[in-house]
């Protein structure tokens, strides 16, 4: 990197942002991690996305920690066919909180606890073993943090909505009735007496 031009250095700084306080640029670039993946071309998310490839720069936690957070979110909230790109939002949220020392310690200690229970890398354990370790550590602050963050991120974004078939809030679109929710065909129409009388004011 000694031969980097000022323009190239500025471009990297723009893309990655400034290093955390007390961390040099070289150490920051060396320590940065990245999550990448490819969306299923015929999946609900892939059909909506402008590109099938996705990437997430991780700046405050290590690659192993980022991969472990993503794997833990999947174990806690498993959905067959739900893209890693959705679970990566959990990593993004925790990486942001790890910009502060207490957030960084929480992730580091939590990943260390998972790996310790696995006798090595938790990620390298079998799926059943990973689940049993998480069950044993369910009260751990890190596991609880990933649980809470997953609820707030995995299920509250357009990618998840597309995957689960949720069309979003309806008020701004005129309600549900005229948007495919009046097509019930497997029950007879209810009698008029089943509805309340119109409000006459």
């Amino acid at each position: 990197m000694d031969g980097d031009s000022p323009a190239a250095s500025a471009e990297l700084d723009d893309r990655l942002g400034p290093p955390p306080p007390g961390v040099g640029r070289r150490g920051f670039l060396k320590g940065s991690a990245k999550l990448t993946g490819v969306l299923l071309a015929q999946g609900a998310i892939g059909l909506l996305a402008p590109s099938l490839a996705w990437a997430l720069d991780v700046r405050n936690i290590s690659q192993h920690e980022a991969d472990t957070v993503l794997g833990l979110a999947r174990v806690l909230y498993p959905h067959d066919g739900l893209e890693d790109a959705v679970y990566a939002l959990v990593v993004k949220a925790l990486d942001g909180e790890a910009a502060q020392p207490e957030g960084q310690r929480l992730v580091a200690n939590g990943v260390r606890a998972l790996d310790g229970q696995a006798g090595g890398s938790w990620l390298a354990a079998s799926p059943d073993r990973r689940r049993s370790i998480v069950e044993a550590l369910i009260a751990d602050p890190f596991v609880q943090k990933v649980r809470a963050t997953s609820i707030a991120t995995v299920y509250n974004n357009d990618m998840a909505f597309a995957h689960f078939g949720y069309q979003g809030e309806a008020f701004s679109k005129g309600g549900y009735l005229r948007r495919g929710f009046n097509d019930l065909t497997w029950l007879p129409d209810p009698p008029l007496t089943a509805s309340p009388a119109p409000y006459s004011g």
Side-chain angles (χ1 to χ4, degrees), residues 77-79 82 86-87 150-157 160-161 164:
Y77 297 97
H79 295 285
L82 185 59
V86 179
Y87 291 100
S150 297
I151 291 171
T153 56
V154 169
Y155 300 107
N156 190 25
N157 64 83
F161 296 165
F164 293 116

Side-chain angles (χ1 to χ4, degrees), residues 138-152:
I138 198 65
D140 181 90
F142 170 66
V143 175
Q144 288 298 312
K145 179 66 175 176
V146 174
R147 284 184 74 184
T149 304
S150 297
I151 291 171

Side-chain angles (χ1 to χ4, degrees), residues 86-131:
V86 179
Y87 291 100
L89 297 174
V90 181
V91 179
K92 180 179 180 181
L94 264 69
D95 180 57
E97 295 193 23
Q100 301 300 318
E102 59 270 22
Q104 202 166 51
R105 278 194 299 273
L106 179 72
V107 173
N109 291 341
V111 171
R112 194 176 302 117
L114 289 172
D115 288 345
Q117 288 287 318
S121 171
W122 175 80
L123 288 169
S126 70
D128 287 343
R129 178 73 178 130
R130 285 199 300 268
R131 276 192 299 273

Side-chain angles (χ1 to χ4, degrees), residues 63-73 111 114-115 122-123 142:
Q63 184 72 55
H64 177 64
E65 289 167 344
D67 291 337
T68 302
V69 169
L70 189 144
L72 177 56
V111 171
L114 289 172
D115 288 345
W122 175 80
L123 288 169
F142 170 66

Side-chain angles (χ1 to χ4, degrees), residues 38-54 81 83 85-86 158-165:
V38 178
L39 302 173
L40 294 173
Q42 296 303 314
I45 299 171
L47 291 172
L48 294 176
S51 169
L52 295 180
W54 63 271
E83 307 274 10
V86 179
D158 290 339
M159 292 186 294
F161 296 165
H163 175 81
F164 293 116

